[in-house]
Amino acid sequence: MSGRLRLRICVRGVVQGVGFRPYVYTTAATLGLSGSVRNDSAGALIEVEGDRAQIDEFLIRLHTEPPPLAVIESVDCEVVPAAGATGFTIADTSSSAGGRTLVSPDVAMCAQCAGEQRDPADRRYRHPFVNCTNCGPRFTIIASLPYDRAATTMSDFPMCAECAREYADPTDRRFHAQPVCCPNCGPRLHYRDRAGHTHRGERAMERARRLLRDGGILAVKGIGGYHLACDAANERAVEALRSRKRRGAKPFAVMVADLATAGLIADVDGAAQRVLCGPQRPIVLLPRLARAPVAAAVAPHNPDLGVLMAYTPLHTLLFGLPGDEPGPRVLVMTSGNLGGEPICFADDDAVDRLAGLADGWLMHDRAILVPCDDSVVRVMDGTELPIRRSRGYAPLPVALPISVPATLATGGDLKNSFAVAEGKYAWLSQHIGDMDDLATLTAFGSSVKHQCALTGVQPQVLVADAHPGYRSAEWARRNADNRPVRLVQHHHAHIAAVMAEHGLDGSEPVLGIAFDGTGYGPDGAVWGGEVLLADYKGFQRLAYLKYVPLPGGEVSVQRPYRMALAHLWAAGVPWDDDLPPVRACPEAERRLLAAQLTSGLHCVSTSSMGRLFDAVSALIGVRQVIAYEAQAAIELEGLSRDADGGTTTYGFAVHTDTMPAVIDPAPVLRDIVADFRRGVAAAVIGARFHRAVAELIARAATAEPMARTVALSGGVMQNCLLLRLTLQALRSSGLEVLTHRRVPPNDGGIGLGQLLVGNSQ
């Protein structure tokens, strides 16, 4: 091509607050093009004029060399009359309608900013809030779009002359970096002790490090809320934090300053390194090293550690720079709240609610508009498996395979994350939490309002879980305002979520394996061991784990020995005193339990695979009572992952004389009891059980001729040992296997599935 041309280019995606305009400016200037670039409600509007060959090169670079944090979703071009102008400008933000901007998540401090913070000659040396267009807070400080400083909590901090110069210079790394600041223009750091005495600046950080060294518990204001921190090597400090937070035995995450320290406490392979050091900086669940310098109370009875790299400049200073009296090498870093409550993010609220938990507060005066907890991932075979999708990932959208009207899906009641969607985009919220607390419900409502404001989605349809008692569904009904509320079966939503994540349009059904702890079934039972033939419009239940009584409901979830006894009763295996769950159950409770199981009084039927994992864990003496969700299954997996099950196999019976088929675990349970009595190690029994479940899935998948694709979802699919064995078992089947990679397999991902199912009814 040759000759002069002028193009108007509309770029949609994550292009605000990520250095996109200066990138366009320098690229155009390098190629000798004239024109302009500005933000608008659709993303970014560019006009370029010049030689056709140079414009072609500009478009190529736009697609192949965007800034690190930019996400280019679409580029639309229109030829417009040439203006004959010279030079390239960055224009004021436009408020023109006709599109939707995608907001960048909060991201970790970049290497360049980290270098400035450590450089005594740099004016941002030791600055707790150093950031640039490639890093720093975004989602949690934005009130509205377009993304300009006046629409963020940085509007309270007028820029000094130096920062203003950088902000206005298209060639500077901080050009239009809305959170730009320096020690001269804020924000300001201060430390508050229990008596209300305050210390500011460097003195604040010194007091915070001293408190941690002395075994105290520090409340730290991060990007998306407060953390509670203590010395991870100090057993007494960790126990105190566990007691004050009412944490039970649930593992704490730990933060380290660098990869070298991470390698002292956990097995960090190359894939884990990439995730640990990426811009998202999630908590990564990694195998714990035997001699890790970490207190046993950090993750009791758990072979893994949740490891988190310092991701803000303030966190880096907590560990100390060269010349500082250092803080601890490894810090417990857990959300600033009591168990079950939402994370604290407002200063007054943190001082009030954390008064009984913290010995001191490290605070600053940059407000957080919306709370956002840390994300959690596992790394399996080099690929991320999300466990909690929040900071660093939210609110990046998930592309939908089919277009939907403006919709809000309220998710579930555990690990809640809602979703809004319109057209072919869905935005999953940050992690909200369990919907069993008034404060969490309030946080849910606030987050819905904020998400709708940022995305521009005004929902005309609401979708919720079909469970009649779910608070998330009740919220949808209460806030419907005459809009339709569509209900979706829990496990159908699980399968639809993994289908949507992989871009399936629903024109062909998949064989869905939905294994989890609980979900309301249309027959009133508690489902959770489901084999479904599903598309977005509906599902057929092909098979399910045989119903067993769930005596007393929630009490049997908290006491796996009760589930073990229920499964033994259903399998016709006597409650002999040599079995661990029989010994764990007090005699009076055992008599009552036997009466309940016989009469059916206060018993609901369940097909839950999660409860079967609990039962097996109790049956072989791993865990009889839990202190947090899925503890029994988690400890069973950890014990089993390195064991050799040998050639012995356990096999489920599948009764196909009815439809749906019934998967009977009785033969597996009898074999487990026999192995236990022969003295086979619990780890070996656990490995054999995991393999039996994987082989069951492969058997179910190959028995269904109508499905060429298998979709695996549900909380049980967070189990990497089971998932790996299942993929191995399916590998030779010729079937396509879909697993979660962008949204969690647990209830934190069902909002995505609800969107698709609710709009296909």
Side-chain angles (χ1 to χ4, degrees):
M1 295 179 69
S2 62
R4 194 165 183 85
L5 180 70
R6 188 176 183 92
L7 285 186
R8 180 174 294 141
I9 305 167
C10 179
V11 184
R12 291 180 173 87
V14 181
V15 293
Q16 294 191 19
V18 294
F20 188 74
R21 284 183 294 174
Y23 156 76
V24 169
Y25 173 92
T26 53
T27 303
T30 300
L31 295 171
L33 299 172
S34 62
S36 65
V37 58
R38 69 176 185 270
N39 287 341
D40 83 339
S41 58
L45 283 178
I46 306 168
E47 289 200 7
V48 287
E49 182 174 336
D51 183 81
R52 288 176 179 268
Q54 301 304 100
I55 288 180
D56 287 345
E57 178 63 22
F58 176 84
L59 291 172
I60 291 171
R61 295 188 189 184
L62 200 63
H63 284 285
T64 61
E65 301 174 5
L69 300 182
V71 179
I72 307 297
E73 296 289 344
S74 66
V75 177
D76 297 321
C77 300
E78 174 190 3
V79 177
V80 295
T86 59
F88 198 91
T89 61
I90 295 176
D92 291 337
T93 294
S94 166
S95 59
S96 62
R100 177 174 286 118
T101 298
L102 308 184
V103 176
S104 170
D106 303 309
V107 288
M109 178 172 61
C110 69
Q112 287 172 292
C113 284
E116 291 172 345
Q117 188 191 44
R118 302 177 72 88
D119 181 2
D122 194 277
R123 72 188 193 89
R124 290 186 174 87
Y125 176 53
R126 306 185 64 84
H127 185 40
F129 308 101
V130 57
N131 69 86
C132 69
T133 54
N134 296 326
C135 68
R138 300 287 192 276
F139 172 56
T140 52
I141 66 169
I142 300 172
S144 62
L145 293 173
Y147 176 50
D148 283 319
R149 191 178 181 97
T152 74
T153 59
M154 288 302 296
S155 62
D156 295 334
F157 304 97
M159 285 180 279
C160 67
E162 272 294 289
C163 286
R165 182 192 59 76
E166 295 168 335
Y167 181 87
D169 182 357
T171 65
D172 194 281
R173 195 173 92 253
R174 292 187 169 88
F175 176 74
H176 278 229
Q178 307 305 339
V180 66
C181 60
C182 73
N184 295 324
C185 55
R188 307 294 183 191
L189 194 66
H190 67 278
Y191 172 88
R192 183 187 190 278
D193 63 22
R194 278 190 163 184
H197 302 131
T198 60
H199 303 272
R200 302 189 181 280
E202 286 289 342
R203 181 67 173 157
M205 192 60 72
E206 290 169 5
R207 289 299 299 265
R209 284 195 296 266
R210 182 184 306 169
L211 178 70
L212 293 169
R213 283 196 307 272
D214 292 345
I217 296 169
L218 178 70
V220 185
K221 187 177 182 181
I223 285 182
Y226 276 81
H227 287 104
L228 291 168
C230 72
D231 182 354
N234 186 323
E235 195 80 44
R236 183 176 297 177
V238 178
E239 289 283 11
L241 177 55
R242 187 171 291 284
S243 173
R244 295 182 194 179
K245 191 173 161 69
R246 303 176 197 167
R247 182 78 171 188
K250 189 175 183 179
F252 286 127
V254 296
M255 178 179 279
V256 296
D258 50 47
L259 269 177
T261 307
L264 296 176
I265 62 174
D267 183 7
V268 184
D269 62 17
Q273 285 186 27
R274 288 191 295 274
V275 179
L276 277 171
C277 297
Q280 296 85 11
R281 297 284 172 93
I283 297 168
V284 184
L285 302 181
L286 298 171
R288 177 177 181 164
L289 296 182
R291 296 187 178 182
V294 171
V298 168
H301 312 293
N302 195 306
D304 293 333
L305 283 176
V307 181
L308 176 67
M309 294 280 286
Y311 59 88
T312 73
L314 188 151
H315 290 140
T316 299
L317 293 173
L318 268 185
F319 291 98
L321 297 184
D324 287 335
E325 191 174 1
R329 294 192 69 184
V330 183
L331 293 173
V332 166
M333 196 64 70
T334 186
S335 55
N337 54 8
L338 275 174
E341 293 183 354
I343 189 172
C344 292
F345 67 98
D347 297 340
D348 291 344
D349 187 45
V351 171
D352 180 39
R353 285 173 53 201
L354 303 181
L357 286 74
D359 299 310
W361 288 256
L362 186 61
M363 313 171 78
H364 57 78
D365 54 0
R366 183 180 66 205
I368 298 169
L369 284 180
V370 60
C372 194
D373 225 326
D374 294 320
S375 295
V376 183
V377 305
R378 302 188 81 166
V379 179
M380 194 192 82
D381 298 335
T383 305
E384 286 186 45
L385 174 63
I387 305 299
R388 186 167 75 195
R389 184 182 186 270
S390 201
R391 179 191 50 76
Y393 300 88
L396 286 177
V398 175
L400 298 179
I402 58 177
S403 185
V404 300
T407 306
L408 165 64
T410 58
D413 269 20
L414 296 178
K415 302 179 179 68
N416 179 269
S417 171
F418 64 86
V420 298
E422 187 171 14
K424 286 197 169 185
Y425 280 127
W427 290 265
L428 274 70
S429 76
Q430 74 276 25
H431 171 75
I432 304 296
D434 295 347
M435 303 281 279
D436 55 2
D437 180 270
L438 178 60
T440 307
L441 283 168
T442 302
F444 177 91
S446 298
S447 294
V448 168
K449 184 177 180 180
H450 188 254
Q451 190 93 323
C452 290
L454 286 189
T455 60
V457 175
Q458 299 301 317
Q460 302 305 307
V461 177
L462 278 69
V463 188
D465 193 284
H467 194 300
Y470 266 16
R471 293 172 180 86
S472 52
E474 172 57 29
W475 187 96
R477 288 188 287 267
R478 194 169 59 249
N479 291 274
D481 294 330
N482 297 317
R483 295 172 293 181
V485 178
R486 297 169 183 166
L487 302 180
V488 174
Q489 199 279 327
H490 188 88
H491 300 95
H492 190 193
H494 270 304
I495 300 306
V498 73
M499 290 173 63
E501 184 180 335
H502 286 269
L504 272 63
D505 65 7
S507 59
E508 293 187 4
V510 302
L511 185 80
I513 308 294
F515 286 175
D516 64 2
T518 183
Y520 182 77
D523 59 358
V526 176
W527 287 16
E530 312 308 314
V531 181
L532 310 175
L533 186 66
D535 54 25
Y536 296 130
K537 293 181 179 179
F539 69 91
Q540 179 185 359
R541 196 185 196 195
L542 299 180
Y544 64 94
L545 190 66
K546 183 180 178 181
Y547 285 143
V548 298
L550 184 65
E554 185 64 23
V555 68
S556 289
V557 177
Q558 301 301 318
R559 304 176 194 174
Y561 67 76
R562 292 172 64 96
M563 280 314 306
L565 295 181
H567 267 286
L568 291 175
W569 178 84
V573 178
W575 292 356
D576 294 330
D577 289 340
D578 64 324
L579 298 178
V582 178
R583 295 196 303 270
C585 185
E587 186 175 349
E589 184 180 351
R590 204 183 316 160
R591 287 196 300 269
L592 178 61
L593 192 59
Q596 282 184 279
L597 293 171
T598 302
S599 67
L601 183 65
H602 301 306
C603 290
V604 63
S605 297
T606 182
S607 61
S608 169
M609 182 61 77
R611 298 289 80 80
L612 180 61
F613 269 81
D614 290 349
V616 171
S617 182
L619 190 55
I620 61 177
V622 176
R623 172 61 54 184
Q624 305 298 334
V625 178
I626 66 168
Y628 61 92
E629 184 192 5
Q631 182 181 7
I634 289 169
E635 292 182 5
L636 178 64
E637 179 202 355
L639 182 72
S640 307
R641 68 172 58 149
D642 295 322
D644 182 359
T647 58
T648 300
T649 59
Y650 302 150
F652 290 83
V654 180
H655 305 299
T656 58
D657 51 338
T658 61
M659 188 63 190
V662 178
I663 301 164
D664 189 353
V668 173
L669 294 167
R670 286 194 289 267
D671 286 345
I672 287 173
V673 169
D675 272 356
F676 176 81
R677 286 175 170 154
R678 280 193 290 268
V680 177
V684 173
I685 296 174
R688 292 172 179 174
F689 173 68
H690 278 81
R691 189 169 65 204
V693 177
E695 290 172 352
L696 168 70
I697 295 171
R699 181 179 171 186
T702 54
E704 177 46 56
M706 292 184 64
R708 295 192 295 269
T709 302
V710 181
L712 306 177
S713 191
V716 171
M717 294 304 170
Q718 296 173 145
N719 182 323
C720 280
L721 173 59
L722 174 63
L723 191 56
R724 186 174 287 114
L725 290 170
T726 299
L727 293 175
Q728 290 172 0
L730 287 168
R731 196 160 287 154
S732 60
S733 67
L735 296 167
E736 182 182 10
V737 184
L738 308 180
T739 62
H740 285 280
R741 290 295 178 261
R742 298 190 65 190
V743 303
N746 58 47
D747 287 6
I750 66 170
L752 178 61
Q754 288 174 349
L755 290 171
L756 276 298
V757 175
N759 282 297
S760 298
Q761 293 176 349

